[in-house]
């Protein structure tokens, strides 16, 4: 009897606590999958909430577009330094693989309860997250280990798994994950475009494909490309027997970029720009939908919006970059950025007959220019305060070059994108709740234009349609050939006129110019 009692006690004590979560009793409900995947969103989409800084406004720091804080000397002549790069860390990749190891067997066995379409959707989300995790590694390291399993803590196994796959294989793996996601995901509209949707997976696929296709094209013949002379992977036994046709890979990736971007672009209507540059006194919203897209409480109804961040004060999820636009955010756009914009007639500012008014004031620099420069850069006559509650209507007048550090203008050129005249959003400090658009369909237009031109060396009818649509929305003469013919690359300050140390042609440069002006 004593033996039986001891055995029973041991059995009872060996039981897991009823309230504990284990792999065996988790990942069995739709809601559990939803909670797991969204927990890793901020691992692949930059965290921007509740900070005392300009947030996403500062993301162009250390480029030729913008200066933030003390600036950087990394990009002066003879000072071009490679950054520290992405940390060599597999945590997120392992967490994705863990999810698949637990969920896929249960899914295939029909053991997950809930709406089956939602279950498939959340599995698709994790494929996108793993793809983005690998895309970050591809950009930092190029060749990188492809690991799809949860590995044991065994050095021999880990060493074997850490063999670096050639970068073109990594890029194809990323595209494969995104294509799996496309077959599982619902449209983003099913979740008010706040969660990863099929359209987002397709747009990211186009982005990855353009990235790798252009990388291989521009670095062909260097050790950075698999199979080329001096490539470090050539002497690795695990790469023996592999052959590489880089020209074929370039063609493949550019083709994927064209196909995926066209799918999104054809389903996207650009948000209209009515040409109104400033609101009337007391007019807070409803004056220009294109301007307001970047600071709407809910931009989901706009066709162009693919994926955006929602903010909710009741859930303590807020943002605070809008006050840093109104007060100055210790940043500033560069003169190179301003000079890159065309005149509204389609001519570069240096071209004969352009009508450029000079740079004595900011307003003069903006006069008769691309509507995006006029909308998204403060000038002396741009309202900075428009509060109908207090009847206050103040103009920007001059940049605050000598303001206190966190509120100064570093270059005199203050960005107005993501600004709103809703004083409730501004006076609440870091408790703003206007949304942030993370991905837009306009990117698909630009990806198609670039990929198709690089692949076929011509502007086809589809690219022509997209380019004219973007320029028309910007308030620029739609005849891009006028711009190409007037472009003098020796007078352009934009680094995009180069691929490596080689000047590109005027057509490709102007496609890149369009991207810079649209996505600052």
């Amino acid at each position: 009897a004593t033996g039986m009692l001891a055995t029973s006690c041991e059995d009872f004590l060996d039981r897991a606590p009823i309230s504990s979560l284990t792999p065996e009793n988790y990942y069995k409900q739709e809601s559990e999958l939803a909670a797991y995947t969204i927990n890793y969103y901020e691992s692949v989409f930059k965290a921007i909430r509740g900070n005392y800084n300009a947030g996403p406004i500062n993301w162009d720091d250390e480029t030729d577009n913008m200066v933030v804080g003390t600036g950087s000397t990394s990009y002066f002549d003879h000072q071009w330094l490679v950054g520290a790069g992405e940390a060599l860390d597999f945590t997120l990749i392992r967490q994705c693989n863990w999810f698949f190891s637990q969920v896929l067997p249960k899914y295939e066995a029909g053991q997950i309860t809930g709406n089956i379409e939602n279950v498939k959707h959340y599995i698709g989300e994790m494929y996108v997250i793993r793809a983005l995790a690998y895309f970050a590694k591809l950009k930092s390291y190029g060749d990188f280990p492809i690991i799809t399993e949860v590995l044991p803590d065994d050095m021999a196994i880990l060493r074997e798994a850490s063999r670096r796959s050639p970068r073109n294989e990594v890029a194809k793996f990323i595209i494969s994950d995104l294509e799996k996601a496309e077959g599982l995901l619902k449209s983003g509209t099913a979740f008010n475009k706040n969660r990863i949707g099929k359209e987002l997976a397709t747009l990211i696929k186009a982005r990855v494909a353009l990235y790798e296709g252009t990388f291989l094209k521009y670095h062909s013949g260097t050790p950075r490309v698999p199979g080329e002379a001096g490539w470090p992977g050539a002497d690795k036994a695990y790469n023996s027997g592999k052959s590489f046709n880089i020209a074929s890979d370039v063609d493949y990736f550019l083709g994927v970029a064209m196909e995926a971007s066209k799918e999104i672009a054809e389903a996207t209507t650009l948000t209209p720009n009515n040409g109104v540059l400033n609101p009337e006194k007391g007019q807070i919203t409803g004056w220009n939908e294109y301007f307001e897209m970047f600071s709407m409480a809910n931009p989901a109804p706009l066709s162009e919006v693919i994926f955006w961040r929602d903010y909710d004060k009741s859930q303590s999820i807020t943002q605070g970059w809008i006050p840093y636009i109104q007060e100055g955010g210790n940043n500033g756009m560069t003169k190179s950025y301003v000079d890159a914009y065309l005149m509204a007639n389609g001519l570069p500012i240096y071209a004969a007959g352009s009508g450029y008014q000079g740079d004595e004031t900011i307003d003069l620099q903006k006069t008769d220019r691309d509507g995006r420069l006029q909308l998204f850069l403060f000038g002396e006559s741009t309202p900075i305060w428009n509060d109908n509650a207090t009847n206050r209507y103040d103009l920007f007048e001059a940049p605050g070059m000598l303001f206190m550090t966190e509120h100064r203008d570093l270059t005199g050129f203050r960005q107005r994108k993501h600004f709103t005249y809703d004083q409730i959003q501004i006076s609440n400090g870091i408790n703003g709740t206007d949304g942030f658009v993370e991905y837009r369909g306009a990117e698909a237009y630009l990806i198609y234009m670039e990929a198709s031109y690089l692949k076929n060396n011509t502007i086809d009818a589809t690219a022509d349609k997209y380019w004219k649509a973007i320029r028309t929305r910007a308030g620029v003469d739609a005849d891009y050939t006028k711009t190409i013919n007037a472009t003098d690359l020796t007078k352009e300050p934009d680094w995009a006129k180069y691929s490596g140390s080689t000047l590109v042609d005027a057509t490709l440069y102007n496609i890149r110019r369009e991207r810079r002006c649209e996505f600052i």
Side-chain angles (χ1 to χ4, degrees), residues 354-368:
S354 72
Y356 181 52
Q357 300 294 305
D359 58 6
E360 185 175 342
T361 67
I362 301 173
D363 273 356
L364 280 177
Q365 292 176 76
K366 292 171 58 177
T367 300
D368 296 330

Side-chain angles (χ1 to χ4, degrees), residues 200-231:
L200 179 60
T202 304
L203 182 57
I204 293 172
K205 181 172 73 171
R207 182 186 287 190
V208 171
L210 179 66
Y211 175 86
E212 187 60 16
T214 52
F215 187 98
L216 295 177
K217 178 180 177 66
Y218 300 139
H219 294 90
S220 179
T222 75
R224 297 182 180 184
V225 173
E228 302 286 50
W231 174 55

